[in-house]
Each structure stands twice: as structure tokens, then as C-alpha cells.
């Protein structure tokens, strides 16, 4: 039950993008087409899940054991950067199309604050290993969900007859704001 | 133990572990790329406009290196990029005909007869479904799908019809694809003369029908076909056409254009002079 709560919280009520406003850069950058949005989302799910497990192991079995929890930032960034590198090499080998479509946003997952946020939240909330894993998957799925919804809306918006001043970034930001408001509707669902 | 020492050691070991993993993965998943792809990509314009029919410049570079595409297949890069690519691949000279987009409708919004009011989506492809505002079923709808399609800012709407800036036009053909009425075509550009000659009308109807809908449409009077000294103009039904094999050899196309009672034979050079004036 506890695991289900963590999962639903990460996906809907405490969504990383629309509740904590983490990871806005790819949220705005890669959301112009559904196809690339889904690809990016899958990459983020993968990185988040791995980050959750690896950072948990490193935090509890290295940092805490040697009394170095103050090094969590450095250690987590190291983990994330390496993982993203692996994902990048993997994609370049097995899906060159997706690799090119994601372009600069793929290496930018390294600096995606939602992933560092994930690792830090996990420590802050004192999740155990399984909880951390579920939290990581949930956060990734939540990110993918929001990114895909946003891409769907933006694909439709491309055909809309907008006033000149709203075209491009402004309407995207307004859409993101309204989407965040809509997601606030989930907040009564559960308590974390 | 000294916490500084422990920190440095543990971090260093962690980093070393990750570095080893990365090195192994890198070796396992390395992608060998033909260095010529990179070189060909350099020679392409990197506009990723898709005019060649491939997904991106990189995609095309790969095809060229594989031999699936011609070195001159990039309409944007033109002769210069084709020459460089042929050089990289060790091929001989390649000849590329430079082309620019020409609009086969020159009627301003006043010259076209308006028969309806359109308040739908302001795009040509949408308006074309209903027939648009104007009586001529072949003419420009005037909502600028071609302007939006152009990646090089070469088309602008002037008096309700598109004008192509031949200096900016790369001949990629995106506008021709965007036009639902197929008014825009790519035609050979004569570099020496600095112009492309074309018939600025697309209406194949007989004279009375054309007169009813437009002030400047081709009425199929055959004047151009008769006056041209080398048969550079011919009739396709009721519509005059240019024979690009002959037109740039012709000595008297100026005279032909002058004699045309509807002044429908245009030159991109003339367009440029008009703009300067």
C-alpha cells in the first residue's frame, strides 16, 4: 500500500514537473512533437530508475558508512553524469534516429534538476531500497506523462490561429501554467 | 581517520569505478562511422529543410556516401556543395542546374475577381477545400502557405500574391509542395542573365472564362508562340508555357513579353527591378 502511495504521488499529486517545477528545460524544449517527447520520457524513466537504485546504494553503503553524507551532492552528480553517458552511448548504438531527435537534450539530462531532485528527495524522505526504486520509476513515468500531454497540446496548438504576441514561447508557458493548475486537482487524492 | 582523506579517497574510488564502467561500455557499444559522412555533412548547408526528400542533412550525407544519392541531390547547396561532395568522394565533375521557385499567378487581390468571403482557418490548404475567395480556380489563394513553408525567408506576400526573392531562393521546392494549387514550380535559373523567365498564369481555360475571373490571366492567344524567334514559347491547350531548353537562347524574349496582350510573361529579373523602383 505504501509503495502504491509513493508511486501515485510521484506520478500525479507530487509530479516533478508540475508540482515541484523541476526539469522544466526538457519539458519546454522537447515537447514540440509527441514522438520525441515519448523518446525523451523513456530515456528519463531509464535514467531515473537507475539513479534511484545506484544513488541509494552509494548513499547508504558508502556515504553513510564512512560518515560522509555531506558529499551526497558530489556523489549524486557523479552517478547521474555517468548514467546519462551510458544511456547516450546505448542510444547512439541502438537507436540513432532517437539519438539525433533528442539532440542536445539527451546530454542535458545530466543537468536535469529533476533527477538530482529525485536522489535528494529519496534521502530526505528516508525511503528504503524498494521504496526508492518505486519512487524513481514513478517520477520517470510522471515526467513522461506530463511531457507527452504537453507535446499533444502543442501539436494541436501549432494549427491554432494565435495572436502574434502569443506565438512560440509565450503560449507554451501559459499552457504549462494551466496544465500545472489542472494537476493541482489531483492534490486531494492522497497525502504524502 | 582524517575525514578529508576519506572523502578524497571514497570520491576518487567512486569516480574511478564509474570511469571504468564507462570505458567498458564505450568499447562494447562503439559506433564506427565513416569519416566521409562527417566531411560530406560539412559540405551540405545543414538547413535540415528536407527538400532532398531525406529526413535530415546527416541522413542525406549517409546516403550519398553509401551511393544511394547523387552528390548534387541537395537542391539548396547547389553547384558549390555538389562540387565539394564530388571531391570528397573522389568523383568527377558534376553538373547541377540551378533552379528557383516561380509563381504562376501574378494577379494582385484587385485584379482577381472576388466571389466569396472566407472566414475559416487562414491557410491556403484549408481555403482550397472550399474554393477560396476568388473566382479563378487556378490562381493564388493568398494566405501564404508558401511563405510559411520557406525556410530561407525568400517569399513574401505583396499585394495578395507571393513574391520570390531569387537572391534568397535556394530552389528547395518546399513552397511548391506547400501550395495546394500547384502554382509554384521550380524552373532553371540563368545565372549569366540573372533571371528566370516564366508564364505568370496557371489557368488552362479558354479566353472568355479567363477574362471573367482575372484581369491578367493568360487567354491563350498564341501571340508569344508566334512572335518568339526560336519557339521558346509553346501552347499547352489554352495556356502559354516556356520551353526551358530554348528560352535562354532566344534573342527576343523581351519583345515577346512586350507583345503579350495580358503581360503574363514575367522574368524574376524584372521582379527585382520592380522592387528597386
Amino acid at each position: 500500500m505504501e509503495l502504491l502511495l509513493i508511486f501515485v504521488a510521484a506520478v500525479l499529486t507530487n509530479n516533478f514537473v508540475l508540482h515541484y517545477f523541476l526539469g522544466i528545460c526538457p519539458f519546454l524544449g522537447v515537447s514540440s512533437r509527441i514522438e520525441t517527447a515519448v523518446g525523451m520520457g523513456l530515456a528519463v524513466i531509464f535514467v531515473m530508475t537507475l539513479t534511484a537504485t545506484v544513488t541509494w546504494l552509494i548513499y547508504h553503503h558508502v556515504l553513510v558508512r564512512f560518515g560522509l553524507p555531506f558529499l551526497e551532492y558530489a556523489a549524486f552528480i557523479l552517478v547521474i553524469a555517468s548514467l546519462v553517458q551510458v544511456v547516450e552511448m546505448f542510444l547512439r548504438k541502438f537507436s540513432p534516429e532517437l539519438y539525433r531527435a533528442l539532440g542536445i537534450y539527451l546530454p542535458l539530462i545530466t543537468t536535469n534538476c529533476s533527477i538530482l531532485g529525485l536522489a535528494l528527495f529519496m534521502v530526505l524522505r528516508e525511503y528504503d531500497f524498494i521504496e526508492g526504486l518505486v519512487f524513481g520509476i514513478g517520477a520517470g513515468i510522471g515526467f513522461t506523462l506530463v511531457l507527452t500531454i504537453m507535446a499533444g497540446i502543442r501539436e494541436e496548438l501549432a494549427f491554432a490561429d494565435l495572436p502574434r504576441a502569443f506565438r512560440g514561447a509565450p503560449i507554451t508557458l501559459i499552457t504549462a501554467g494551466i496544465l500545472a493548475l489542472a494537476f493541482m486537482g489531483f492534490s486531494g487524492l492522497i497525502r504524502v | 581517520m582524517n575525514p578529508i582523506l576519506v572523502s578524497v579517497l571514497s570520491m576518487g574510488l567512486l569516480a574511478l569505478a564509474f570511469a571504468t564502467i564507462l570505458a567498458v561500455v564505450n568499447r562494447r557499444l562503439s559506433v564506427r562511422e565513416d569519416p566521409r559522412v562527417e566531411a560530406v555533412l560539412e559540405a551540405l548547408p545543414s538547413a535540415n529543410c528536407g527538400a532532398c526528400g531525406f529526413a535530415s542533412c546527416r541522413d542525406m550525407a549517409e546516403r550519398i556516401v553509401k551511393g544511394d544519392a547523387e552528390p548534387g541531390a541537395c537542391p539548396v547547396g547547389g553547384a558549390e556543395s555538389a562540387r565539394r561532395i564530388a571531391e570528397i568522394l573522389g568523383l568527377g565533375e558534376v553538373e547541377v542546374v540551378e533552379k528557383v521557385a516561380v509563381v504562376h499567378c501574378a494577379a494582385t487581390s484587385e485584379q482577381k475577381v472576388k466571389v466569396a468571403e472566407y472566414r475559416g482557418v487562414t491557410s491556403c490548404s484549408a481555403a482550397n477545400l472550399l474554393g477560396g475567395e476568388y473566382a479563378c480556380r487556378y490562381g493564388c489563394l493568398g494566405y501564404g502557405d508558401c511563405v510559411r513553408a520557406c525556410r530561407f525567408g525568400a517569399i513574401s506576400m505583396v499585394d495578395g500574391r507571393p513574391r520570390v526573392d531569387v537572391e534568397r531562393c535556394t530552389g528547395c521546392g518546399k513552397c511548391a509542395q506547400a501550395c495546394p494549387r500547384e502554382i509554384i514550380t521550380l524552373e532553371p535559373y540563368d545565372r549569366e542573365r540573372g533571371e528566370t523567365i516564366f508564364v505568370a498564369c496557371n489557368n488552362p481555360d479558354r479566353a472568355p472564362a479567363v477574362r471573367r475571373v482575372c484581369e491578367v490571366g493568360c487567354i491563350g492567344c498564341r501571340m508569344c508562340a508566334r512572335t518568339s524567334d526560336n519557339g521558346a514559347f509553346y501552347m499547352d491547350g489554352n495556356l502559354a508555357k516556356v520551353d526551358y531548353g530554348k528560352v535562354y537562347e532566344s534573342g527576343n524574349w523581351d519583345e515577346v513579353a512586350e507583345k503579350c496582350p495580358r503581360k503574363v510573361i514575367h522574368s524574376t529579373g524584372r521582379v527585382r527591378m520592380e522592387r528597386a523602383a
Side-chain angles (χ1 to χ4, degrees), chain B residues 102-108 112 136 138-141 161-163 183 198-202 214:
Chain B
V102 295
V103 184
H104 296 283
C105 177
T108 61
K112 283 180 279 197
C136 180
Y138 306 95
C140 177
L141 290 150
R161 62 206 166 153
R163 272 281 184 253
I183 298 166
F198 62 100
V199 176
C201 181
N202 204 33
C214 183

Coordinates of all heavy atoms in Angstrom, one line a residue, chain B residues 102-108 112 136 138-141 161-163 183 198-202 214:
Chain B
V102 N 9.2 29.8 -59.1 CA 8.5 30.8 -59.8 C 7.0 30.6 -59.5 O 6.5 29.5 -59.4 CB 8.8 30.9 -61.3 CG1 10.2 31.3 -61.6 CG2 8.4 29.6 -62.0
V103 N 6.3 31.7 -59.4 CA 4.8 31.6 -59.1 C 4.0 31.9 -60.3 O 4.1 32.9 -60.9 CB 4.5 32.7 -58.0 CG1 3.1 32.6 -57.6 CG2 5.4 32.6 -56.8
H104 N 3.3 30.9 -60.7 CA 2.5 31.0 -61.9 C 1.1 31.7 -61.7 O 0.1 31.2 -62.1 CB 2.3 29.6 -62.5 CG 3.6 29.0 -63.0 ND1 4.2 29.4 -64.1 CD2 4.3 28.1 -62.4 CE1 5.3 28.7 -64.3 NE2 5.4 27.9 -63.2
C105 N 1.2 32.8 -60.9 CA 0.0 33.6 -60.8 C 0.5 35.0 -60.3 O 1.1 35.1 -59.3 CB -1.0 33.0 -59.8 SG -2.4 34.1 -59.5
A106 N 0.2 36.0 -61.1 CA 0.7 37.3 -60.7 C -0.4 38.3 -60.5 O -0.2 39.5 -60.3 CB 1.6 37.8 -61.9
A107 N -1.6 37.8 -60.3 CA -2.7 38.7 -60.2 C -2.7 39.3 -58.7 O -2.6 38.5 -57.8 CB -4.0 38.0 -60.5
T108 N -2.8 40.6 -58.6 CA -3.0 41.2 -57.3 C -4.4 40.9 -56.8 O -5.3 40.5 -57.6 CB -2.7 42.7 -57.3 OG1 -3.7 43.3 -58.1 CG2 -1.3 43.0 -57.8
K112 N -7.9 40.1 -59.3 CA -8.7 38.8 -59.3 C -10.1 39.2 -58.9 O -10.4 40.1 -58.1 CB -8.1 37.9 -58.2 CG -6.9 37.2 -58.7 CD -6.4 36.2 -57.6 CE -5.6 36.9 -56.5 NZ -4.7 36.1 -55.8
C136 N -11.2 32.7 -59.8 CA -10.3 31.8 -60.5 C -9.9 30.6 -59.7 O -9.4 30.7 -58.6 CB -9.0 32.5 -60.9 SG -7.8 31.5 -61.8
Y138 N -7.7 28.4 -60.4 CA -6.4 28.0 -60.6 C -5.4 29.0 -59.9 O -4.2 28.7 -59.8 CB -6.1 27.9 -62.1 CG -7.0 27.0 -62.8 CD1 -8.1 27.5 -63.4 CD2 -6.8 25.6 -62.8 CE1 -9.1 26.7 -64.0 CE2 -7.7 24.8 -63.4 CZ -8.8 25.3 -64.0 OH -9.7 24.5 -64.6
G139 N -5.9 30.2 -59.5 CA -5.0 31.2 -59.1 C -4.6 31.1 -57.6 O -5.0 30.2 -56.9
C140 N -3.7 32.0 -57.2 CA -3.2 32.1 -55.8 C -4.3 32.4 -54.9 O -5.2 33.3 -55.1 CB -2.1 33.2 -55.7 SG -1.5 33.4 -54.1
L141 N -4.4 31.7 -53.8 CA -5.4 31.9 -52.7 C -5.0 33.0 -51.8 O -5.9 33.6 -51.1 CB -5.6 30.6 -51.9 CG -6.3 29.4 -52.7 CD1 -5.8 28.1 -52.2 CD2 -7.8 29.5 -52.6
R161 N -0.2 38.4 -53.4 CA 0.4 37.3 -54.2 C 1.8 37.1 -53.7 O 2.4 38.1 -53.3 CB 0.3 37.6 -55.7 CG 1.2 38.9 -55.9 CD 0.8 39.6 -57.1 NE 1.5 40.9 -57.0 CZ 1.8 41.6 -58.0 NH1 1.5 41.3 -59.3 NH2 2.4 42.8 -57.9
P162 N 2.3 35.9 -53.8 CA 3.7 35.7 -53.3 C 4.7 36.3 -54.3 O 4.6 36.2 -55.5 CB 3.8 34.2 -53.2 CG 2.7 33.6 -54.0 CD 1.7 34.7 -54.3
R163 N 5.8 36.8 -53.7 CA 6.9 37.3 -54.5 C 8.1 36.5 -54.0 O 8.4 36.4 -52.8 CB 7.1 38.8 -54.2 CG 6.3 39.7 -55.2 CD 7.0 39.7 -56.5 NE 6.3 40.6 -57.4 CZ 5.6 40.2 -58.5 NH1 5.4 38.9 -58.7 NH2 5.1 41.1 -59.3
I183 N 0.7 26.2 -57.9 CA 1.0 27.3 -58.7 C 2.5 27.6 -58.8 O 3.0 28.2 -59.7 CB 0.3 28.6 -58.1 CG1 -1.2 28.4 -58.1 CG2 0.7 29.8 -58.9 CD1 -1.9 29.4 -57.3
F198 N 9.2 33.1 -66.9 CA 8.1 32.2 -66.7 C 6.8 32.8 -67.1 O 6.7 34.1 -67.2 CB 8.1 31.8 -65.2 CG 7.9 32.9 -64.2 CD1 6.6 33.1 -63.7 CD2 8.9 33.7 -63.9 CE1 6.5 34.1 -62.8 CE2 8.8 34.7 -62.9 CZ 7.5 34.9 -62.4
V199 N 5.8 32.0 -67.2 CA 4.4 32.5 -67.5 C 3.7 32.6 -66.2 O 3.5 31.6 -65.5 CB 3.7 31.5 -68.5 CG1 2.3 31.9 -68.7 CG2 4.5 31.4 -69.8
A200 N 3.3 33.8 -65.9 CA 2.7 34.0 -64.6 C 1.2 33.8 -64.6 O 0.4 34.6 -64.2 CB 3.0 35.4 -64.1
C201 N 0.8 32.6 -65.1 CA -0.6 32.2 -65.0 C -0.7 30.7 -65.1 O 0.1 30.1 -65.8 CB -1.4 32.9 -66.2 SG -3.2 32.4 -66.1
N202 N -1.7 30.2 -64.5 CA -1.9 28.7 -64.4 C -3.3 28.3 -64.9 O -3.6 27.2 -64.7 CB -1.6 28.3 -63.0 CG -1.2 26.9 -62.9 OD1 -0.5 26.4 -63.8 ND2 -1.6 26.2 -61.8
C214 N -10.3 37.1 -64.2 CA -9.0 37.7 -63.9 C -8.6 38.8 -64.9 O -8.9 38.6 -66.1 CB -7.9 36.6 -63.8 SG -6.3 37.2 -63.4

